[in-house]
Amino acid sequence: MALDPRLIDAQLWLARALLSPVLDGVADLDGATLLRTEELIEQALASSPHYWKAHYARGQLLRAQGRFKDAIPHYETAIVSNRNAARAFTQLGWCKLAAGQVEEEVVELAEQAIRLDPCHPTVAIAYNLIATVRLYQSRQDEAIVWFEKAVHSNPRHPWGHFGLAIAYGLMDQRDHAVAELAEAQMLSDMFSSIVHCRAIRGEINTPASRERFENIVVAGLRKAGLSEK
């Protein structure tokens, strides 16, 4: 961008790099990051208002702000412009889950993402989405299958282990639950207590999904032996 500040892809890659720590849950969206990413994305949209990557980036920024419903039309626009945008299908599914949907439509979005790009490192996010839907549908045996796929795809991603701890806990398989919770805790300090887990900002814990979060996620974590504080 120093050589040519009008390069749209450079603007969007920079926005993505700034947002990644926030979306991964390892940093907060501070004011400076918000202003910079908004500026970059608006520049890209002004130059190319129908570019799918610009709408995808806008969706990511809205997700980082916890504005999941507002992000949905931007992911949908990205998909209309590029039917091969695998990650847009996945993120659209997560936003619909955040809105309280646990229907098969969400699973179908994740399955489409997997079909489009089964070898991409982020396919674990699609596996985790299907697993989370099954978890919230109280279909724990199926959830375990998909969380295992996520862990196999990316063992360094903590969410698969976290999900397995919940599912195994709900099925009263305490040894497995404790082991998976320990793996998640080694990969991230977000899972040190029930209080910390409740503070996680993300699609599994929104006003629309709060009841399921308490009755399923928190209940499973307690059975896995996670301390309250």
Side-chain angles (χ1 to χ4, degrees):
M1 286 186 64
L3 295 172
D4 186 352
R6 298 168 297 176
L7 286 175
I8 295 175
D9 279 337
Q11 293 166 349
L12 296 174
W13 275 106
L14 179 55
R16 178 180 174 182
L18 291 168
L19 288 173
S20 287
V22 179
L23 292 170
D24 288 341
V26 298
D28 292 325
L29 184 62
D30 58 64
T33 300
L34 174 61
L35 289 173
R36 183 60 172 141
T37 51
E38 282 185 330
E39 177 188 35
L40 291 164
I41 293 167
E42 288 305 317
Q43 288 174 355
L45 283 169
S47 300
S48 187
H50 302 296
Y51 190 29
W52 77 270
K53 287 184 179 180
H55 284 281
Y56 179 84
R58 169 58 74 184
Q60 293 291 80
L61 176 57
L62 291 167
R63 275 186 62 229
Q65 294 174 286
R67 296 166 58 188
F68 303 109
K69 288 185 178 179
D70 293 335
I72 287 174
H74 289 282
Y75 291 125
E76 290 175 336
T77 298
I79 289 169
V80 169
S81 300
N82 181 6
R83 297 295 299 179
N84 293 316
R87 282 168 288 170
F89 282 95
T90 303
Q91 304 303 351
L92 176 59
W94 277 109
C95 287
K96 287 180 177 288
L97 180 73
Q101 297 184 31
V102 292
E103 292 82 5
E104 290 309 300
E105 178 192 358
V106 176
V107 172
E108 289 167 3
L109 289 167
E111 289 174 339
Q112 178 67 358
I114 295 165
R115 283 193 295 270
L116 287 170
D117 203 351
C119 297
H120 195 279
T122 60
V123 74
I125 300 173
Y127 290 143
N128 277 324
L129 175 55
I130 297 174
T132 303
V133 172
R134 298 304 183 221
L135 191 72
Y136 278 177
Q137 292 174 333
S138 296
R139 295 160 64 176
Q140 315 305 350
D141 53 344
E142 294 179 51
I144 287 171
V145 171
W146 287 100
F147 280 130
E148 289 283 8
K149 286 178 180 286
V151 169
H152 179 75
S153 174
N154 185 356
R156 302 298 300 170
H157 196 289
W159 291 97
H161 296 289
F162 181 65
L164 283 171
I166 297 164
Y168 280 128
L170 291 170
M171 295 183 72
D172 293 320
Q173 297 185 30
R174 183 175 172 81
D175 289 346
H176 288 306
V178 169
E180 293 297 339
L181 182 58
E183 288 288 341
Q185 290 172 330
M186 283 194 296
L187 295 168
S188 174
D189 60 5
M190 293 188 293
F191 312 124
S192 58
S193 69
I194 300 288
V195 169
H196 280 92
C197 289
R198 282 200 178 108
I200 293 172
R201 294 182 305 162
E203 294 86 345
I204 67 168
N205 188 15
T206 65
S209 62
R210 191 67 42 77
E211 185 177 350
R212 290 191 184 99
F213 182 84
E214 288 295 323
N215 293 338
I216 295 174
V217 174
V218 173
L221 291 172
R222 286 193 175 116
K223 288 193 170 185
L226 186 62
S227 65
E228 292 291 329
K229 297 180 181 181

